[in-house]
Amino acid sequence: MSSQGLHSLTTIIKRLEAATSRIEDLAASGWPTSKPETSEAAHNSSSYAAATSSPPVQASSPAAPASVSTLQETPKSVVVFDEVVIDGKVKPFVELTKSFAGASVVEIVGLVEKQFKELRELINTAASCVKPDDPTFQSLLTPFHSTIEAINRLKEANRKDRDWFTHLMVISEASSFVAWVLNSKPGPHIAETKDQALYYGNRVIKEFKEKDPRHAEWVRSFAAALEETRKYVLEYHTTGLSWNSKGVPVGQYAASKSAKISGATSGGPPPPPPPPPPPAAPPVTAAAATTPAGGTAAVFAEINRGADVTRGLRKVDKSEMTHKNPTLRASSVVPSGSGSPPKKPVKPTKPHALMGKKPPKFALEGKAWNIEYQEDEKSLVVDGVELNQVVNLFGCKNSVIQIKGKLNAVTLVNCIKTQVLVDSVVSSISVTKSPSFAIQITGSAPMIQIDSCDTGMIYLSQASLHAEITTAKCSSINVNIPVAGEEEGVFEEQALPEMLRTCVKDGKLVTTVVEHVG
């Protein structure tokens, strides 16, 4: 035999050994032979036939229902909402809040994040379902109502927090932005809520402009999240929440989603059984029920009654006090006091706001015109006054009084939103405890005295520019001075100073007005 034939035979033997080794490995790993494979196929075909004649347990039908495909594929509108709004704006806003804000602001921003997640879930439902009836749609909006109520409760609970309450108002004013799902013009609705939030947001920016720039960045970040939501809504939900006309009913969608969630969580081991119930308490016998508790337990029971523990005590009279009666200290016996009866409590007087409405009064009594308790009277006129007469206004509200002629003095006390038009005064005009008053002088008045008033307007004429104005405990008092060279009725408004600075110079107090520059 030639050397070439021996080489070919050696090669064939090696290939046969390799094939045999491979077959042995497959047999060792449990590879089925031809007969079991045939029986397996027959078993599978019989099982499929049985499955088609009875409801499936694990195997799904060849044609997948619409709800399953809806759950498997995330709609484009939801993907864009996740990328542009939640990941792009909301998450950075939440992280910024956690980096510097107080606990109340972090908590309320967490509720805002919850609102966006609930909105995302509703958009996903709308993209997969046909438009439901009103009761079903209202049930989908239940989480929104709960979150808005939680935001308002949190705001009210922290009303006394001066450092962060304005921040809470920013969030609270914009909490209704999710209502765009009910609006046929959702874009303008979101823009309106953003403007409401920026009303308080600008206060935050102004307050912390020089202190901490992160507050201004926080306001702009929240406004950017609302603005991005508005742009998204204008593109995908121009005339309201868009539903899928070829989708499935909401009930079927919810059931399919629940089945998917339960199927994903059913792979783990079953939960452990609940613990056995506690042993029943022994029955209380009649003797034990009637026996009063004593000892330490009774003492603690009395203490736990709170304020009621002292209800049975009475006030000790001076005659029964041993430190004030030497005879009692000598005998060490205190007589049982049934002496003078306890004093009746003094009935509190009714506050002024709860008193009955007084009858209005408009009368000349001697040399005084007394005008009292006039409400919503816009045309009261005091005509024919004399130089020795005075006009006294008391308890008037939201009224206008015109005084024609020259008189001695005018006095306003406890009047609210009262306006007085007077010609000329010989002595003075006095205003006391009368908020939101207005006085216009068409003639002359040498002195105007204002005491304990908040918000007032004084209109002077050319003849009354020499008037001296005295104020005490007042705020927001403005004086309108006629502009020289202009027509009658053109005034320049100037505010009376409220802030004073006092220094000690040469042993004396020197007070000057604080001037604000810039």
Side-chain angles (χ1 to χ4, degrees):
M1 183 177 292
S2 64
S3 60
Q4 185 177 1
L6 291 175
H7 179 72
S8 300
L9 181 61
T10 304
T11 303
I12 292 172
I13 292 173
K14 289 182 179 180
R15 293 180 63 186
L16 288 176
E17 289 178 352
T20 304
S21 176
R22 186 176 180 185
I23 292 173
E24 289 176 352
D25 292 339
L26 291 175
S29 62
W31 185 265
T33 58
S34 60
K35 283 188 178 182
E37 184 177 351
T38 306
S39 61
E40 183 78 19
H43 177 70
N44 288 339
S45 62
S46 62
S47 299
Y48 177 76
T52 54
S53 61
S54 61
V57 178
Q58 294 180 351
S60 60
S61 57
S67 60
V68 176
S69 63
T70 303
L71 290 173
Q72 291 177 349
E73 299 178 1
T74 304
K76 180 182 177 181
S77 59
V78 179
V79 174
V80 175
F81 186 79
D82 289 340
E83 295 177 353
V84 176
V85 179
I86 293 183
D87 295 337
K89 300 296 180 181
V90 177
K91 288 185 178 179
F93 172 65
V94 175
E95 294 300 325
L96 175 61
T97 304
K98 294 179 180 179
S99 65
F100 78 98
S104 59
V105 179
V106 173
E107 184 177 357
I108 202 170
V109 169
L111 294 175
V112 172
E113 185 181 17
K114 181 182 177 185
Q115 276 188 308
F116 278 97
K117 291 180 180 179
E118 293 168 350
L119 182 59
R120 189 257 188 204
E121 184 62 29
L122 180 61
I123 294 174
N124 191 17
T125 302
S128 306
C129 303
V130 295
K131 186 174 182 179
D133 53 6
D134 288 340
T136 305
F137 186 43
Q138 291 298 328
S139 65
L140 295 176
L141 300 180
T142 302
F144 294 97
H145 298 308
S146 302
T147 308
I148 293 176
E149 291 176 359
I151 291 175
N152 291 328
R153 285 196 302 268
L154 182 60
K155 178 198 71 174
E156 294 299 329
N158 293 274
R159 183 171 288 275
K160 296 183 180 180
D161 189 354
R162 295 183 179 181
D163 295 332
W164 300 103
F165 182 71
T166 310
H167 298 70
L168 301 180
M169 287 298 301
V170 174
I171 302 299
S172 176
E173 288 296 319
S175 61
S176 61
F177 82 97
V178 293
W180 68 262
V181 298
L182 299 170
N183 203 317
S184 59
K185 297 180 179 179
H189 173 78
I190 298 177
E192 182 179 354
T193 56
K194 186 187 76 170
D195 293 339
Q196 293 174 357
L198 286 179
Y199 174 78
Y200 291 94
N202 291 331
R203 293 187 181 182
V204 174
I205 295 174
K206 183 178 180 181
E207 181 180 357
F208 294 92
K209 183 177 181 181
E210 304 296 337
K211 299 178 183 178
D212 190 348
R214 291 180 297 179
H215 295 264
E217 183 183 356
W218 180 83
V219 173
R220 297 188 184 99
S221 178
F222 182 54
L226 296 176
E227 179 63 19
E228 201 64 44
T229 305
R230 186 187 69 84
K231 293 179 181 179
Y232 164 80
V233 167
L234 288 178
E235 182 176 355
Y236 290 93
H237 307 275
T238 308
T239 58
L241 185 61
S242 299
W243 297 85
N244 188 353
S245 58
K246 298 181 181 180
V248 298
V250 174
Q252 181 180 350
Y253 173 80
S256 301
K257 186 176 180 180
S258 301
K260 181 180 179 181
I261 294 174
S262 61
T265 58
S266 62
V284 180
T285 60
T290 57
T291 303
T296 308
V299 174
F300 282 105
E302 288 294 324
I303 294 175
N304 291 333
R305 289 171 58 192
D308 294 339
V309 72
T310 60
R311 181 170 295 179
L313 301 179
R314 65 178 179 84
K315 185 177 181 180
V316 180
D317 191 75
K318 292 183 178 180
S319 61
E320 300 174 353
M321 298 180 182
T322 56
H323 67 283
K324 292 187 177 182
N325 295 277
T327 56
L328 294 179
R329 289 199 298 270
S331 62
S332 70
V333 177
V334 180
S336 60
S338 61
S340 60
K343 297 180 181 180
K344 295 183 179 179
V346 180
K347 185 177 181 181
T349 58
K350 206 180 261 189
H352 181 74
L354 298 180
M355 291 183 178
K357 187 176 180 181
K358 299 292 184 67
K361 183 178 181 180
F362 191 105
L364 175 60
E365 298 175 347
K367 298 180 181 180
W369 288 88
N370 294 323
I371 305 173
E372 301 176 358
Y373 305 110
Q374 301 287 341
E375 291 190 14
D376 300 321
E377 295 290 343
K378 304 296 184 180
S379 58
L380 294 176
V381 180
V382 182
D383 198 0
V385 296
E386 300 178 0
L387 289 177
N388 60 348
Q389 291 180 349
V390 297
V391 174
N392 299 323
L393 303 174
F394 182 82
C396 298
K397 184 178 181 180
N398 198 24
S399 299
V400 179
I401 297 95
Q402 182 179 2
I403 304 173
K404 295 183 178 180
K406 192 173 185 178
L407 73 162
N408 186 16
V410 177
T411 303
L412 281 79
V413 179
N414 289 337
C415 296
I416 301 174
K417 294 183 179 180
T418 301
Q419 304 176 26
V420 179
L421 176 62
V422 59
D423 287 349
S424 296
V425 177
V426 176
S427 177
S428 65
I429 299 175
S430 176
V431 184
T432 305
K433 295 181 180 180
S434 300
S436 303
F437 72 90
I439 294 177
Q440 182 172 359
I441 304 170
T442 58
S444 62
M447 182 178 296
I448 302 174
Q449 299 173 342
I450 307 172
D451 186 10
S452 303
C453 293
D454 183 17
T455 308
M457 300 290 290
I458 301 174
Y459 296 86
L460 300 178
S461 63
Q462 289 289 346
S464 60
L465 293 179
H466 63 282
E468 295 182 1
I469 302 175
T470 305
T471 60
K473 295 190 293 185
C474 297
S475 63
S476 302
I477 306 298
N478 297 323
V479 179
N480 293 268
I481 302 174
V483 180
E486 296 289 342
E487 61 182 4
E488 186 178 358
V490 179
F491 295 91
E492 179 184 358
E493 183 176 308
Q494 298 183 19
L496 292 181
E498 301 177 17
M499 186 177 295
L500 305 176
R501 178 175 60 243
T502 302
C503 301
V504 179
K505 290 185 179 180
D506 300 330
K508 296 182 180 180
L509 296 179
V510 179
T511 302
T512 57
V513 177
V514 176
E515 296 181 358
H516 297 277
V517 180

